[in-house]
Amino acid sequence: MHGKSLALDRLMMMAGIIALGSIWGLLECALGGIKLEIAGLPVSMGAVMAGLFGIGFMVLARKFFDRMGVSLGVALVAGIMRFFAPVGSCVICSAIAIMVEGLIFELILNRKMVLWNIRGIERDYRTLVFTGVISGFTIFSIGYILTQLLTPLFTEGILLPLSDLWGILPLIFGRAFYAALLGGVSLPAAMFVDRLHLDVNRWKKGVFYSVSGAISIFCWVMVLAVIF
């Protein structure tokens, strides 16, 4: 019975990861290509998506399931969805960036102080804001850099010269400002999910599978509608 229960818990976790990743992926497909300006200055939607939705959904995954790797799993699902949706100027760039952001955030999220603030009843929100700012800046900037290196490697079999990469670092770090700013909001905001009493462990499995399945199917149908 214990083995069967463990298998069901893993299935619930997988269903939740797919649902959260599908929502993030759909938002990337729907909003990622939008051109946005504030006071005449262009805003990087990639930075907005990473800092606001990326961090938000990855934190929620860890809150709901509290297992190492769930945040990365959400990013992998979102990246796969983004890869198949022909929206924006560089589809493979966006897909790689999302997956890399998930890997980097997973490393940050597993630090003891971060986990303590996420799991605990009493939290230091200043630490959460600071962690969100650092996370947003880090996942976007490193994700952007690795995307610039990996995209030509996957598409053309060549590696971007480091001299070319060095020249765009100021642009990358400038755009990362938006990811840092929004990360400082989305990470602590995700903690308020506790007040909604959405403990998935208390859900009936049939209800959980129905809700998560419906969410995932809706998101993928919407993306397929864009593709075809």
Side-chain angles (χ1 to χ4, degrees):
M1 290 297 292
H2 177 73
K4 184 177 180 181
S5 175
L6 184 61
L8 284 173
D9 289 342
R10 288 175 177 173
L11 286 174
M12 288 182 67
M13 184 175 68
M14 289 299 298
I17 288 172
I18 293 172
L20 290 173
S22 297
I23 299 172
W24 180 10
L26 178 60
L27 289 169
E28 289 277 357
C29 297
L31 305 177
I34 293 178
K35 303 296 182 181
L36 180 64
E37 292 186 357
I38 296 179
L41 297 175
V43 176
S44 170
M45 282 304 297
V48 172
M49 301 303 292
L52 186 59
F53 297 116
I55 289 179
F57 285 115
M58 288 191 286
V59 171
L60 286 178
R62 190 57 182 251
K63 283 286 297 174
F64 287 150
F65 304 107
D66 197 18
R67 293 289 187 277
M68 184 181 295
V70 292
S71 298
L72 175 58
V74 169
L76 291 176
V77 173
I80 291 170
M81 178 180 280
R82 186 68 183 87
F83 178 77
F84 285 107
V87 179
S89 58
C90 184
V91 174
I92 190 171
C93 300
S94 301
I96 292 173
I98 293 169
M99 295 180 186
V100 171
E101 288 166 3
L103 176 60
I104 298 168
F105 189 68
E106 186 72 43
L107 297 175
I108 296 172
L109 199 56
N110 283 291
R111 307 305 299 174
K112 288 184 179 180
M113 181 168 289
V114 179
L115 287 178
W116 179 84
N117 275 283
I118 289 176
R119 292 168 174 166
I121 297 176
E122 295 183 4
R123 302 186 179 97
D124 183 353
Y125 279 93
R126 291 173 298 180
T127 299
L128 289 173
V129 170
F130 177 75
T131 302
V133 170
I134 297 300
S135 298
F137 183 88
T138 303
I139 68 171
F140 178 78
S141 56
I142 296 180
Y144 200 125
I145 291 170
L146 291 180
T147 300
Q148 295 300 309
L149 292 172
L150 294 175
T151 299
L153 185 63
F154 288 150
T155 57
E156 302 175 19
I158 61 174
L159 192 64
L160 182 73
L162 292 180
S163 57
D164 292 351
L165 182 61
W166 182 262
I168 61 174
L169 284 181
L171 174 65
I172 295 174
F173 294 146
R175 291 181 174 181
F177 165 79
Y178 298 104
L181 181 65
L182 291 171
V185 175
S186 63
L187 195 151
M191 297 302 102
F192 286 94
V193 72
D194 290 339
R195 299 187 179 183
L196 300 177
H197 304 291
L198 296 177
D199 185 354
V200 296
N201 294 314
R202 298 182 179 179
W203 285 36
K204 292 182 178 179
K205 289 181 172 60
V207 174
F208 180 82
Y209 288 133
S210 298
V211 173
S212 60
I215 291 172
S216 300
I217 291 171
F218 171 79
C219 293
W220 282 90
V221 167
M222 293 299 293
V223 170
L224 288 174
V226 172
I227 295 174
F228 297 105

